Amino acid sequence: MIRIHILDGKAFVWNYVDARRAREEHRIVGTLVGALARKPRQNVRLGLPLQLLPEEARLLLDKGLATLCKNTASPPPGEDTREDPLSQQKVTAYQKGLEENYQEQVRLAAEQRKILLDTLAERIAQGRAKKRQREGEGEPPSKLGEVEPSFVLPRDSMMIQLPTERVYPCQEEVVVDWHVPSKDWPYTGQPDHEMRYCIFRSLWGKGFYITSGSKFGGDFLVYPGDPMRFHAHYIALCVSQDTPLSLCDIISAGRLGTNVKKTVLICSAGKDGTATYTSLQWTGMQ
């Protein structure tokens, strides 16, 4: 079951296994919004958490593939939890695992260094021999290892895994009922959301991958396959059946789609929950 966490009405997936399952098994792409641990000051390549559109989160919830939860408020600043035996056990287990990880990295780094020295042994020996000849010293030792100091890996150079979620599920998590509008999940029952979700569910049911279309002036971008491998074929504009469209808006949408080499879909949702589509393609005047 995929765990979706709610914060200020936004849906996030923190577990990388859940994020991978959502994309590979359920065609839910989302948007990575977290900074990378090694390059936190750049925004070209981002990492976890994965932020989901309300429609993406609701589809997973509607299909019974996910649960919606939130964390309760943190304990007061003055409250000390260090006396908790369970917390002490977790700290001890973490420190033990950290030490075992360090010793393993020392062993692997020493092996890699030995392999590297073995491949460069002849060149190193020749260089040392020339240096000793210039300085008038005797023959160098026969073994390279006799003059090599013992290898030491500084602790501040070891690689440390940074978890993107709690190692143990937080006992303070509460499940949010997404069927009822609330402060945490205000979308249920809103006409715009219901229309967008109806269209999203319909397009998803046809086998498409769907992402946000805000960068192209639409509601959704529709892909024939994973967006990492395909360009979007359609720009979906969600319009209520009761909302009139001016001729200028239709022309603007058609020309926009032509400029970015995509077909514009004007999408509407009926009262019975069915979605209807009208495609626009700009052909110009002959």
Side-chain angles (χ1 to χ4, degrees), residues 80-94:
D80 190 358
T81 59
R82 289 176 296 178
E83 300 300 329
D84 185 5
L86 184 59
S87 299
Q88 289 293 336
Q89 292 177 6
K90 293 178 181 179
V91 171
T92 303
Y94 174 78

Side-chain angles (χ1 to χ4, degrees), residues 71-258:
N71 292 336
T72 57
S74 302
E79 184 175 339
D80 190 358
T81 59
R82 289 176 296 178
E83 300 300 329
D84 185 5
L86 184 59
S87 299
Q88 289 293 336
Q89 292 177 6
K90 293 178 181 179
V91 171
T92 303
Y94 174 78
Q95 292 176 344
K96 180 181 178 181
L98 200 64
E99 180 62 26
E100 293 175 352
N101 195 330
Y102 171 72
Q103 297 299 332
E104 180 69 11
Q105 291 187 43
V106 170
R107 182 183 65 80
L108 293 176
E111 291 178 358
Q112 291 294 326
R113 181 177 176 84
K114 183 177 182 302
I115 294 174
L116 178 61
L117 291 177
D118 290 341
T119 58
L120 301 176
E122 185 176 353
R123 294 176 57 184
I124 294 175
Q126 292 175 357
R128 288 179 176 175
K130 292 180 181 179
K131 180 178 178 181
R132 288 178 176 273
Q133 289 177 359
R134 290 195 303 266
E135 297 176 354
E137 299 180 4
E139 293 294 328
S142 57
K143 293 184 179 180
L144 184 64
E146 294 178 1
V147 295
E148 282 294 329
S150 59
F151 175 76
V152 176
L153 176 67
R155 285 188 175 271
D156 56 1
S157 298
M158 71 174 291
M159 293 183 292
I160 301 177
Q161 181 181 2
L162 299 178
T164 59
E165 67 165 357
R166 295 175 183 268
V167 179
Y168 303 96
C170 179
Q171 296 180 356
E172 288 78 18
E173 285 184 352
V174 296
V175 178
V176 177
D177 185 5
W178 60 273
H179 297 90
V180 180
S182 63
K183 180 181 178 181
D184 300 305
W185 187 257
Y187 308 103
T188 303
Q190 292 185 0
D192 289 343
H193 170 71
E194 296 296 337
M195 175 186 62
R196 286 166 55 93
Y197 175 67
C198 175
I199 295 167
F200 182 94
R201 181 183 57 192
S202 175
L203 291 171
W204 183 87
K206 298 179 184 297
F208 292 110
Y209 283 74
I210 308 162
T211 66
S212 173
S214 57
K215 63 181 179 180
F216 287 109
D219 292 287
F220 302 117
L221 289 179
V222 185
Y223 297 79
D226 194 297
M228 295 292 290
R229 301 176 57 191
F230 295 89
H231 290 288
H233 284 191
Y234 306 101
I235 302 175
L237 298 176
C238 301
V239 180
S240 174
Q241 290 183 337
D242 301 328
T243 302
L245 283 178
S246 66
L247 182 60
C248 290
D249 291 338
I250 296 176
I251 294 175
S252 299
R255 295 191 66 177
L256 170 64
T258 301

